[in-house]
Amino acid sequence: MTKRPNEMTIGEAAHALRARSLTVRELWDTCAEAARTRNPELNAYLELFDADEAVIDAAQIRIDTEKEAAPLLCGIPLAIKDNILIEGHIASAASKMLENYRATYDATVIRKLKERGALFVGRTNMDEFAMGSSTEHSAFGPTKNPHDTSRVPGGSSGGSAAAVAAHLCIAALGTDTGGSIRQPAALTGLAGLKPTYGAVSRSGAIALGSSLDQIGPLTKTIEDAHILYEAIRGLDPLDSTTIPDDLYPARSISAKLRIGVPRHLLAENITPDVRAAFDAALAALEKEGHTIVDVELPTSVHALAAYYVIQPAEASANLARYDGVRYGLAKRGETLLDDYLDSRTEGFGSETRRRILLGTFVLSSGYIDAYYRKADAARAVLRREYEKAFEKCDVVAFPTTLSPAFKFGEKGDPVSMYLEDIFTVTANLTGAPAISVPMGTVEREGRRLPVGIHFTAPHQAEHILFAIGNAVESARNA
Ligand code: GLN
């Protein structure tokens, strides 16, 4: 059976466009049509953009004239998370606060994608300001998981994940502060990459936790994740935290990889069938000649606690700018204080308010030593432990999540939602790159639900993540 154009990967579509078996217009139309048809049910997009005829024509001309030399992303329809600015379009971060905020410039990643001729289908739903793991915290209703619409797609980049998984675009960008690319990728059967901190510019991404945030791809294949990553990465004068290509020592690898598994962490409440899928994925890799080694990462058990001190602290500082004066929703009361209170009370949802309270508390003078500084110290220890582990392995592996996609409302208690991030937050705390790769499915109520395997590599060793991702893909297809 031949694939419909919207079902193609970036690699396949780029090839078909060059072979003239597909036009940019046809590719755009099938994605836009699928999005229009399916979105009322899934709510993956908060807004679908009109076709930009000039851009579509320009992409076609470029492919026709430059042929193989045209960028792979030329003419490829992408979905963009609603916290990444596209000039002239609304960027709401799925918050009432920014419901009508229109971006006045392009995020650096958007500028890079436009230069390559990429097309934008729309802006995707998310947890408000990227806080959450289910997309249920969006001010504009939750997104549904295309594999089972009674379940969440994960979050906070759940709209981007659902849009790619349901073929309402070819690939998407998300942001990841504690797992928001990798966890939704796992729960919808996609590859999701969180690049090394500083590898991709954050200029034009609505800030959540500035020492943790990274933009990255959600894609159907590892090859696509690689293509998108190469397109968006690089030093940027507009983001002083971006890093030169050679900041960290180069790591070469052989064809056979050493996979570090922290067995002591796996005792944690992983559902038995997810654990079985993980063990099967490792066994398949071993069969292909890769080796499994034991690694100790003792401080990782405290990573989640450290994250939920540092992230709210940074969020509370970043969200202080939404004061009803400078950006977004503006309510007018009797006094200036009323303006602030009314704007912020009406503009922010409950999870956002909870994080602001938590963050303000851990930064307050009486508690900063007990909470924020301790968590920050844990971060340095985590980083050292990983450096030590990478002396004897190329990547560290664990399941991306404890279980497959959960039902709407199932994690109403905030702490149970925070536990979703247990395996993903460490890479944000250390700044290391990490990827989630599909590792098969488990059954729930007669449906097959995707689950993911998670790999962390040393800083700036994304090439190792693509290598192991390809190894998982080929072992699964073997
Ligand atoms: N789920 C995590 C949180 O709620 C991570 C969010 C993210 O990566 N943006 O903070």
Side-chain angles (χ1 to χ4, degrees), residues 130-133 156 176-180 208 307-308 311 355 421:
M131 287 179 271
S133 311
S156 64
D176 191 311
T177 306
S180 281
L208 174 56
Y307 173 83
Y308 275 99
Q311 191 276 351
R355 303 267 182 125
D421 310 324

Side-chain angles (χ1 to χ4, degrees), residues 93-133:
S95 179
K96 274 192 117 41
M97 184 60 90
L98 293 177
E99 189 170 6
N100 300 310
Y101 169 72
R102 228 170 251 284
T104 52
Y105 64 100
D106 280 330
T108 295
V109 293
I110 297 298
R111 178 179 55 75
K112 286 173 178 258
L113 293 175
K114 283 184 175 173
E115 281 166 8
R116 283 163 178 78
L119 313 176
F120 304 115
V121 183
R123 55 187 176 94
T124 55
N125 201 10
M126 54 186 281
D127 288 294
E128 183 180 17
F129 287 107
M131 287 179 271
S133 311

Side-chain angles (χ1 to χ4, degrees), residues 182-205:
R182 292 160 288 154
Q183 184 257 14
L187 302 191
T188 56
L190 304 174
L193 171 75
K194 192 231 29 119
T196 304
Y197 184 73
V200 176
S201 170
R202 293 178 292 113
S203 174

Side-chain angles (χ1 to χ4, degrees), residues 5-6 8-10 13 27 31 76-77 164 168-172 220 224:
N6 57 310
M8 290 178 175
T9 64
I10 298 173
L27 181 59
C31 288
I76 304 292
V164 181
L168 315 184
C169 60
I170 303 297
K220 297 171 193 174
D224 282 5

Side-chain angles (χ1 to χ4, degrees), residues 343-365:
S343 303
R344 289 169 69 85
T345 304
E346 201 164 305
F348 291 141
S350 59
E351 182 60 25
T352 303
R353 292 203 298 262
R354 182 178 299 119
R355 303 267 182 125
I356 293 171
L357 287 174
L358 203 60
T360 308
F361 175 76
V362 300
L363 289 175
S364 61
S365 62

